[in-house]
């Protein structure tokens, strides 16, 4: 079973305050300066507490933000708190590690000839009126699947993230909601950009990941912030989330 705690190996002065953990056999190293430099989007500064919580959730949920699985976003004049965003793919990978997971079905809900129809996938006719999305997650230890049905009107607020792919987006929302309800202990604290209606410009995040080659950063590869009194940055406090599922 994989250890959920950060490694406590001996670190050089430059590396102190860096949390080290393993995701799918790859070592991930996260510190406050690394997060602020590469993994924050938006136009408002994030607090130490927000950065610490981000690092903790990544560690306990085995997320590698350098592969696009998670990032922080914060805007002035909106929610005063930073939002942690994860990818749908990250949630699917987490669910796939659970021994009781047996797959997912998903699609869209449309109005066709005056009737409500549930379609698989995101394809519909030009004459269909898109209403929402649906998803079913199957577990071997439950008699019925966990089902989620979501309304397009509730989530499509005209933000750029939805663009011309409304069917794809609302299907994603249904999928992640069904996954969270099916595995609340493993996925309960994780939300996607489609649900939050928040997203940094894709080119901005792509540029940041390209700068580091979309791979784990070694502490010696970045400059670390100095803090008052010459003290090393404190280790992040664990976020109040359930530890990830681990097979026995």
């Amino acid at each position: 079973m994989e250890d959920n705690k950060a490694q406590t190996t001996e670190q050089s002065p430059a590396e102190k305050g860096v949390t080290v953990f393993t995701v799918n056999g790859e070592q991930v190293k996260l510190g406050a300066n690394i997060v602020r430099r590469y993994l924050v989007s938006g136009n408002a500064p994030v607090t130490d507490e927000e950065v610490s919580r981000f690092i903790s959730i990544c560690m306990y949920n085995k997320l590698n933000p350098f592969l696009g699985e998670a990032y922080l976003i914060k805007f002035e004049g909106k929610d005063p708190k930073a939002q942690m965003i994860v990818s749908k793919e990250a949630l699917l990978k987490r669910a796939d590690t659970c021994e009781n997971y047996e797959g997912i079905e998903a699609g869209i809900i449309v109005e066709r000839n005056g009737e409500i129809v549930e379609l698989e996938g995101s394809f519909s006719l030009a004459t269909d009126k898109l209403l929402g999305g649906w998803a079913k997650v199957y577990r071997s230890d439950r008699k019925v699947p966990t089902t989620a049905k979501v309304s397009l009107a509730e989530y499509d607020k005209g933000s750029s993230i939805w663009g011309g792919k409304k069917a794809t987006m609302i299907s994603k929302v249904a999928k992640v909601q069904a996954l969270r309800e099916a595995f609340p202990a493993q996925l309960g604290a994780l939300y996607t950009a489609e649900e939050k209606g928040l997203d940094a410009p894709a080119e901005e995040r792509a540029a940041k990941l390209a700068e580091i080659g979309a791979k784990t950063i070694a502490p010696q590869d970045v400059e670390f912030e100095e803090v008052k009194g010459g003290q090393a940055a404190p280790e992040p406090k664990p976020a109040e989330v359930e530890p990830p599922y681990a097979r026995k």
Side-chain angles (χ1 to χ4, degrees):
M1 182 175 67
E2 196 173 39
D3 190 358
N4 292 327
K5 295 182 179 180
Q7 296 178 12
T8 57
T9 54
E10 187 68 25
Q11 295 176 311
S12 69
E15 293 177 289
K16 291 186 182 299
V18 174
T19 298
V20 183
F21 57 98
T22 302
V23 179
N24 295 327
E26 299 240 343
Q27 193 177 74
V28 177
K29 299 182 180 182
L30 289 178
N33 202 42
I34 295 173
V35 172
R36 286 191 169 94
R37 181 175 175 182
Y38 297 107
L39 304 172
V40 176
S41 294
N43 59 8
V46 293
T47 66
D48 291 341
E49 181 180 356
E50 289 168 340
V51 171
S52 177
R53 179 173 174 79
F54 174 79
I55 293 173
S56 295
I57 293 178
C58 285
M59 179 179 70
Y60 279 90
N61 288 281
K62 299 302 179 185
L63 297 171
N64 186 343
F66 304 115
L67 297 180
E69 293 183 352
Y71 64 96
L72 274 177
I73 188 167
K74 189 175 184 180
F75 290 104
E76 293 180 353
K78 292 191 176 183
D79 192 318
K81 295 183 179 180
Q83 301 287 325
M84 179 172 174
I85 301 298
V86 300
S87 68
K88 172 181 66 71
E89 290 71 23
L91 293 179
L92 285 169
K93 284 196 293 185
R94 291 282 294 111
D96 199 46
T97 64
C98 301
E99 65 179 3
N100 294 320
Y101 177 63
E102 291 200 330
I104 184 171
E105 293 180 320
I108 55 177
I109 304 170
V110 303
E111 181 181 338
R112 176 181 292 178
N113 299 325
E115 296 184 356
I116 306 300
V117 181
E118 294 183 2
L119 306 174
E120 291 189 13
S122 301
F123 174 80
S124 63
L125 302 177
T127 53
D128 291 338
K129 179 181 179 182
L130 181 63
L131 300 177
W134 65 271
K136 294 181 180 180
V137 174
Y138 296 87
R139 290 183 53 149
S140 60
D141 58 343
R142 293 183 181 177
K143 293 183 178 180
V144 296
T146 299
T147 303
K149 296 183 181 182
V150 295
S151 168
L152 177 67
E154 182 178 355
Y155 289 94
D156 180 15
K157 302 301 181 182
S159 62
S160 60
I161 185 177
W162 287 78
K165 300 180 179 179
K166 299 182 188 297
T168 300
M169 292 300 194
I170 199 63
S171 178
K172 284 184 179 181
V173 172
K175 287 178 183 177
V176 297
Q177 287 201 6
L179 286 167
R180 267 202 314 272
E181 290 179 18
F183 300 100
Q186 295 80 28
L187 306 176
L190 307 178
Y191 293 85
T192 65
E194 291 82 8
E195 295 176 282
K196 292 290 188 178
L198 293 171
D199 193 25
E203 60 272 16
E204 174 192 337
R205 289 188 287 114
K208 286 186 176 183
L209 290 179
E211 183 180 349
I212 59 172
K215 63 183 179 181
T216 303
I217 298 176
Q220 63 267 23
D221 294 336
V222 299
E223 296 178 359
F224 288 84
E225 298 171 339
E226 293 185 4
V227 295
K228 295 180 180 179
Q231 298 294 320
E235 288 288 340
K237 297 179 180 179
E240 295 179 358
V241 296
E242 295 281 349
Y245 178 89
R247 296 181 184 177
K248 295 182 180 179

